[in-house]
């Protein structure tokens, strides 16, 4: 039995009066890649963003149910949201480097979380190495991050997340704005990162989901229709909807 | 062919409007500088006025306007930016925030003489600051606030949410996000608004009329609780209230030229700061 890192139990999420997520129960196993797939608007990203409390920013979002990181209740008001976001990192759909240098993009999070000053250069370097960006940027760490290519920017965003040594990395369609070669590099990176991190990724690309996932959740209209190993979802889905979706019949 | 004619016509219309606007600007500048530049000498900008304003320079008025604008900046920029940050970043959209926004926009439309009266009642009398450069600076600050708030809020609105999410997802607090990402990114836009507002404020006459400006001061006012001379008011006096208007006309044009050059300098500084900032990110 897999060890559970992150879970949602009886999760309902509303925007105003509209129910976006309907009674979601899901367990993400530790140090594996879990993909969330489903047609646009099915609530994949909404589900992903509820784990690091990104919905706190939307005044009309309302959440019911229990979300847990290990035994920690993510929405318990006693727990600091900044500490939770330090443990659950996030990579977004469009690369969003900070308007700072490459180096500062990584040192920023370390500074705000008060890492000892003398350890920061070393941590930045190892995070860049871990994200396979070091060789490409080691001579231009002082250059503005926006000067990098889109694919490099996205790997920088991953490095920026990794530098904090989170336990979980949430990825919201991290390759959708990238060319095939850059996406391939990100995929390779995800395969390496899963040794140390629990990864949850939202993707529209079925081939990608099949290549990288250990487990796959198929969502439709705010419900988690099927959750199983990647093999079962793609080769032997139990649900008719799943079968049609992964077969490319709709979505 | 017809399409081409029409697009040419549109181009003429747009280019023509631009040319006409530039032409008027050019005529104004040419008129003022052609009559004013000849009176600008080192003596004109560095000496005190003498012989009932018919001779000497406008040094006290230049210093007065700079000091006045400085006080206005010190008061209006921090409060204005803070207010805009609150409205755009913290306040949840509600009827109340909409009322606040509407009120701020209305304040921007109030004639400046009314600010003068208000400043007289509030700063000069109620706060007992007297007719002074401090009272006048604060009054101009009030006048500038609505513009600074509105332009800053527009600049903040242009920062995409993905920028805020980037730092929030790293565990930064909302305040850290605003301080480290949102404000630096919005700085060029904020600066543009601030400089345009302050340039306008530096040329205002009505609000300082009741609150501290003086036609003539013996010597240079160096304290912020004294009355002061200012370029726009000096210009107004020289061109309409002086007993020998014809004689001082070149001085009036000279004063106008100096005021324009001063505002021009503000803008160059702002341009430089914006340029430096752009090249960094």
């Amino acid at each position: 039995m897999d060890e559970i890192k992150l879970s949602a139990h009886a999760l309902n999420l509303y925007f105003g009066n509209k129910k976006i997520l309907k009674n979601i129960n899901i367990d993400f196993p530790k140090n594996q890649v879990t993909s969330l797939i489903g047609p646009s608007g099915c609530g994949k990203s909404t589900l992903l963003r509820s784990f690091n409390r990104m919905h706190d920013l939307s005044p009309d979002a309302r959440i019911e149910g229990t979300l847990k990181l290990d035994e920690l209740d993510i929405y318990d008001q006693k727990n600091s949201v900044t500490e939770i976001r330090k443990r659950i990192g996030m990579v977004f759909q469009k690369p969003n480097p900070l308007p700072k240098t490459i180096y500062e993009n990584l040192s920023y999070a370390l500074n705000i979380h008060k890492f000892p000053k003398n350890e920061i250069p070393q941590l930045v370097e190892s995070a860049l190495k871990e994200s396979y960006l070091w060789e490409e940027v080691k001579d231009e760490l002082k250059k503005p991050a926006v000067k990098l290519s889109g694919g490099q920017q996205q790997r920088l965003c991953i490095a920026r997340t990794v530098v904090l040594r989170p336990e979980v990395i949430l990825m919201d369609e991290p390759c959708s704005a990238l060319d095939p070669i850059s996406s391939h590099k990100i995929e390779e990176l995800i395969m390496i990162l899963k040794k140390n991190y629990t990864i949850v990724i939202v993707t529209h690309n079925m081939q990608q989901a099949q290549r990288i996932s250990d487990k796959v959740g198929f969502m439709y209209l705010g419900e988690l229709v099927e959750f199983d190993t990647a093999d079962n979802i793609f080769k032997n889905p139990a649900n008719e909807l799943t079968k049609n979706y992964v077969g490319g019949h709709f979505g | 062919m017809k399409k081409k004619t029409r697009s040419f016509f549109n181009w003429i219309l747009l280019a023509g409007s631009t040319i006409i606007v530039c032409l008027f600007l050019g005529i104004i500048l040419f008129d003022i500088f052609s009559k004013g530049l000849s009176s600008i000498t080192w003596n004109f900008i560095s000496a005190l006025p003498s012989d009932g304003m018919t001779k000497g320079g406008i040094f006290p008025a230049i210093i007065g306007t700079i000091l006045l604008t400085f006080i206005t900046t010190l008061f209006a920029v921090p409060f204005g930016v803070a207010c805009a940050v609150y409205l755009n970043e913290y306040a949840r959209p509600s009827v109340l925030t909409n009322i606040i926004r509407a009120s701020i926009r209305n304040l921007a439309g109030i004639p400046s003489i009314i600010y003068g009266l208000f400043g007289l009642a509030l700063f000069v009398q109620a706060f007992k600051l007297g007719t002074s450069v401090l009272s006048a600076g604060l009054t101009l600050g009030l006048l500038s606030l609505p513009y600074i708030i509105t332009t800053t809020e527009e600049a903040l609105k242009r920062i995409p949410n993905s920028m805020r999410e980037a730092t929030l997802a790293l565990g930064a607090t909302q305040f850290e996000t605003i301080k480290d990402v949102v404000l630096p990114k919005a700085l060029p836009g904020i600066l543009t608004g601030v400089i345009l507002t302050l340039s306008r404020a530096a040329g205002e006459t009505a609000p300082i009329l009741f609150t501290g400006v003086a036609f003539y001061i013996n010597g240079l006012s160096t304290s912020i609780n004294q009355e002061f001379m200012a370029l726009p008011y000096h210009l107004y006096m020289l061109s309409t209230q002086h007993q020998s208007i014809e004689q001082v006309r070149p001085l009036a044009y000279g004063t106008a030229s100096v005021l324009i050059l001063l505002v021009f300098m503000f803008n160059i500084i702002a341009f430089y700061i914006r340029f430096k900032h752009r090249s960094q990110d």
Side-chain angles (χ1 to χ4, degrees):
Chain A
M1 191 60 203
D2 299 320
E3 189 187 338
I4 301 306
K5 187 71 198 172
L6 190 69
S7 68
H9 181 68
L11 168 66
N12 290 309
L13 189 143
Y14 306 82
F15 278 130
N17 292 324
K18 208 168 166 230
K19 197 169 183 178
I20 307 291
L21 296 178
K22 298 164 188 164
N23 192 29
I24 305 275
N25 293 287
I26 194 165
D27 293 323
F28 297 104
K30 189 176 177 179
N31 293 1
Q32 294 193 15
V33 177
T34 307
S35 295
L36 295 173
I37 59 170
S40 299
C42 69
K44 312 176 293 287
S45 295
T46 309
L47 174 61
L48 193 74
R49 292 162 68 90
S50 50
F51 285 105
N52 66 344
R53 288 179 57 172
M54 286 312 261
H55 297 303
D56 287 15
L57 296 171
S58 325
D60 56 347
R62 191 161 53 84
I63 283 188
E64 294 167 355
T66 323
L67 286 86
K68 281 189 168 168
L69 172 66
D70 293 327
E71 284 311 303
L72 180 89
D73 185 348
I74 293 174
Y75 279 85
D76 188 336
Q77 290 304 317
K78 284 199 297 287
N79 300 323
S80 104
V81 63
T82 55
E83 195 58 29
I84 284 167
R85 288 178 184 153
K86 187 184 159 199
R87 293 175 63 187
I88 305 180
M90 187 164 203
V91 177
F92 296 87
Q93 190 171 352
K94 266 177 69 186
N96 54 355
L98 308 178
K100 297 170 184 289
T101 65
I102 294 170
Y103 182 86
E104 286 165 341
N105 259 274
L106 275 85
S107 64
Y108 180 76
L110 298 171
N111 282 320
I112 58 171
H113 289 290
K114 309 250 176 327
F115 279 66
K117 284 265 179 288
N118 55 343
E119 287 176 19
I120 289 178
Q122 189 53 48
L123 289 171
V124 168
E125 185 178 331
S126 62
L128 283 171
K129 280 181 176 156
E130 202 174 347
S131 316
Y132 291 89
L133 199 57
W134 177 253
E135 288 304 317
E136 292 162 57
V137 302
K138 64 180 177 190
D139 297 323
E140 37 189 33
L141 292 175
K142 288 209 168 72
K143 259 174 69 174
V146 287
K147 296 265 156 69
L148 295 172
S149 74
Q152 288 175 323
Q153 284 186 20
Q154 193 64 304
R155 276 181 286 146
L156 183 74
C157 291
I158 294 175
R160 180 178 76 187
T161 309
V162 163
V163 78
L164 282 172
R165 306 278 145 212
E167 293 153 51
V168 178
I169 302 176
L170 307 172
M171 296 186 171
D172 191 357
E173 298 183 45
C175 301
S176 65
L178 304 180
D179 61 86
I181 294 167
S182 304
S183 343
H184 181 69
K185 281 188 180 163
I186 304 259
E187 276 181 34
E188 282 182 340
L189 182 54
I190 291 172
M191 297 312 286
I192 294 160
L193 290 175
K194 79 169 188 178
K195 292 191 191 93
N196 299 314
Y197 306 95
T198 302
I199 295 173
V200 183
I201 177 170
V202 164
T203 178
H204 272 291
N205 183 332
M206 288 307 112
Q207 287 76 34
Q208 181 178 65
Q210 208 161 354
R211 280 193 297 266
I212 62 175
S213 325
D214 298 296
K215 289 205 151 186
V216 176
F218 170 64
M219 292 182 69
Y220 187 63
L221 299 177
E223 288 179 72
L224 182 65
V225 176
E226 193 169 347
F227 183 55
D228 209 333
T229 60
D231 266 359
N232 280 344
I233 290 278
F234 286 107
K235 295 190 181 118
N236 191 19
N239 190 293
E240 196 63 25
L241 274 170
T242 317
K243 194 172 164 186
N244 285 337
Y245 184 74
V246 299
H249 296 301
F250 77 99
Chain B
M1 200 58 208
K2 209 174 169 195
K3 204 168 174 188
K4 235 179 182 170
T5 331
R6 188 185 289 166
S7 90
F8 179 72
F9 184 71
N10 285 341
W11 182 82
I12 286 285
L13 210 67
L14 295 172
S17 309
T18 313
I19 289 169
I20 289 173
V21 169
C22 292
L23 197 68
F24 275 109
L25 189 71
I27 291 171
I28 293 170
L29 287 178
F30 177 76
D31 182 56
I32 291 173
F33 283 130
S34 65
K35 294 173 184 161
L37 280 180
S38 56
S39 19
I40 300 183
T41 56
W42 177 243
N43 186 49
F44 185 68
I45 53 174
S46 67
L48 303 180
S50 57
D51 297 344
M53 300 288 170
T54 54
K55 291 209 175 78
I58 54 166
F59 185 58
I62 295 175
I63 293 299
T65 289
I66 290 175
L67 188 61
L68 181 72
T69 313
F70 186 67
I71 292 172
T72 306
T73 312
L74 232 49
F75 171 64
V77 174
F79 279 111
V81 171
C83 179
V85 165
Y86 176 76
L87 281 177
N88 198 58
E89 305 289 323
Y90 286 97
R92 308 220 139 164
S94 69
V95 180
L96 183 69
T97 55
N98 284 336
I99 292 175
I100 293 176
R101 274 199 193 89
S103 312
I104 291 170
R105 301 231 153 101
N106 279 332
L107 280 177
I110 291 179
S112 57
I113 188 86
I114 295 178
Y115 279 96
L117 270 176
F118 181 72
L120 174 68
L122 186 73
F123 299 120
V124 177
Q125 291 176 341
F127 289 179
K128 299 199 169 36
L129 298 174
T131 49
S132 62
V133 65
L134 182 60
S135 295
L138 292 176
T139 308
L140 278 184
L142 283 185
L143 175 92
S144 311
L145 268 176
Y147 297 96
I148 292 182
I149 294 169
T150 312
T151 50
T152 303
E153 221 193 327
E154 291 304 320
L156 294 175
K157 271 198 197 120
R158 280 197 296 271
I159 309 300
N161 256 334
S162 63
M163 285 315 308
R164 297 181 178 88
E165 287 177 341
T167 47
L168 288 172
L170 292 170
T173 61
Q174 198 178 359
F175 183 73
E176 285 164 337
T177 299
I178 292 167
K179 172 172 71 81
D180 299 329
V181 177
V182 178
L183 281 181
K185 266 290 237 195
L187 192 67
I190 295 175
L191 266 180
T192 309
V194 164
I195 295 291
L196 285 177
T197 307
L198 291 178
S199 312
R200 216 205 105 183
E204 276 289 347
T205 317
I208 59 176
L209 196 61
F210 309 137
T211 50
V213 78
F215 175 40
Y216 176 69
I217 290 172
N218 198 2
L220 191 63
S221 71
T222 49
S223 161
I224 57 166
N225 51 28
Q226 278 178 3
E227 293 196 348
F228 63 103
M229 291 176 69
L231 289 170
Y233 186 66
H234 192 71
L235 175 60
Y236 166 70
M237 294 309 272
L238 287 187
S239 46
T240 61
Q241 308 292 308
H242 201 274
Q243 64 265 39
S244 42
I245 285 182
E246 286 307 321
Q247 198 189 345
V248 295
R249 184 133 295 161
L251 295 183
Y253 274 105
T255 309
S257 309
V258 169
L259 183 56
I260 290 175
L261 289 174
L262 207 64
V263 168
F264 197 53
M265 254 160 53
F266 282 154
N267 282 287
I268 287 179
I269 294 169
F271 183 78
Y272 175 73
I273 296 174
R274 279 213 304 273
F275 176 77
K276 274 215 79 149
H277 188 84
R278 285 254 165 84
S279 58
Q280 263 168 26
D281 65 30

